Amino acid sequence: MEDLQQITEFRTSPELVEKLYQYSIQKSFEAGRIIVNENAYINSIPIVTKGMIKVIRTEDDGRELLLYYIKAGESCVMSFLGGMHNDTSKVRAEVEEDAEILFLPMDKASLFIKEHPEWLDYIFRLYHRRFEELLEIINAISFKKMDERLLALLQKKQELTKNSVINITHEQLSNELGTARVVVSRLLKQLEDNKVLKLGRNKIILM
């Protein structure tokens, strides 16, 4: 996404797009960089224009759980909510693919709600999408076996990257699923035996 004008809600408001570029700071990040950390105060909200970010929650026992991805054209509504209430972040946002991000100061993000109904429509659409994704996570944890969750995560990564070759370690997968690495390694071997995927060095190829 090279232009915010491509976002559905912004197509009828070139003035809003102009203001977003005017007031935001654009930065580039390599995969693995932390954009927002847990317990940090939020002064700006990120709008991804290129690449992808993953949002992760860390539990009290240290286990991590992947909540959702932020793709080009999307923002982190949890950051938006935290910033609106001057609260700290409850999640960690980490770059999944090299990304370009606009950081919009929180005061401007709040002002745009009053001045531009398109901005509010955009935020509500993202809330709706994130809510549905979190419901899927709850459903998966409650009712699906770990092998089903693992395969679903790999297929999600394939869908987002449009690539059947997924560069990831067993440790990273276990962190995103909130389980032990040995469990992930065992399940991946079973999936390979069933010819669902092929394992390589720090990569997985979906068949």
Side-chain angles (χ1 to χ4, degrees):
M1 176 165 294
E2 299 177 354
D3 189 354
L4 294 181
Q5 189 69 46
Q6 297 180 41
I7 297 174
T8 302
E9 290 82 1
F10 298 168
R11 288 175 182 169
T12 59
S13 183
E15 180 186 359
L16 173 58
V17 173
E18 183 179 347
K19 286 183 177 179
L20 286 170
Y21 280 117
Q22 177 183 354
Y23 294 117
S24 299
I25 297 174
Q26 184 167 359
K27 295 183 179 181
S28 298
F29 298 91
E30 295 181 350
R33 288 287 303 276
I34 304 297
I35 304 303
V36 178
N37 224 329
E38 290 171 307
N39 301 316
Y41 281 97
I42 300 167
N43 299 315
S44 61
I45 65 168
I47 303 173
V48 179
T49 58
K50 182 180 179 182
M52 186 164 53
I53 294 174
K54 60 183 177 182
V55 176
I56 297 169
R57 168 76 177 175
T58 304
E59 300 301 325
D60 293 337
D61 59 6
R63 290 186 301 167
E64 296 180 345
L65 183 65
L66 173 67
L67 299 180
Y68 52 81
Y69 291 98
I70 303 172
K71 306 184 292 296
E74 297 181 345
S75 181
C76 180
V77 292
M78 287 193 174
S79 295
F80 184 84
L81 186 61
M84 285 283 290
H85 293 88
N86 195 31
D87 198 3
T88 57
S89 175
K90 302 300 186 293
V91 296
R92 182 176 83 248
E94 180 178 326
V95 177
E96 174 82 354
E97 291 182 346
D98 292 357
E100 293 179 4
I101 303 170
L102 294 177
F103 289 91
L104 180 67
M106 219 39 246
D107 60 335
K108 298 300 181 184
S110 301
L111 180 63
F112 289 171
I113 290 179
K114 301 176 182 178
E115 295 184 346
H116 298 279
E118 301 89 353
W119 175 250
L120 187 58
D121 289 344
Y122 172 69
I123 296 299
F124 275 138
R125 176 172 63 86
L126 291 178
Y127 267 119
H128 179 70
R129 182 175 299 173
R130 297 292 93 94
F131 181 72
E132 288 185 333
E133 289 173 335
L134 290 176
L135 285 181
E136 290 178 6
I137 291 291
I138 293 172
N139 179 70
I141 294 174
S142 300
F143 303 112
K144 291 186 178 180
K145 297 179 180 178
M146 186 55 69
D147 58 342
E148 295 176 305
R149 291 178 56 200
L150 173 59
L151 183 56
L153 176 58
L154 292 172
Q155 290 170 338
K156 181 70 172 180
K157 289 179 179 290
Q158 179 187 36
E159 175 190 344
L160 292 172
T161 61
K162 297 179 174 57
N163 194 338
S164 59
V165 180
I166 301 166
N167 295 299
I168 195 168
T169 66
H170 295 193
E171 184 73 27
Q172 289 171 314
L173 279 173
S174 66
N175 287 339
E176 294 184 8
L177 289 167
T179 189
R181 183 186 61 79
V182 291
V183 173
V184 168
S185 297
R186 173 174 56 81
L187 293 175
L188 285 173
K189 187 62 174 67
Q190 290 178 1
L191 290 170
E192 184 178 44
D193 291 342
N194 293 331
K195 303 188 184 305
V196 175
L197 53 79
K198 183 178 180 181
L199 298 176
R201 182 175 178 79
N202 294 337
K203 67 180 180 182
I204 298 168
I205 305 168
L206 289 174
M207 309 301 285

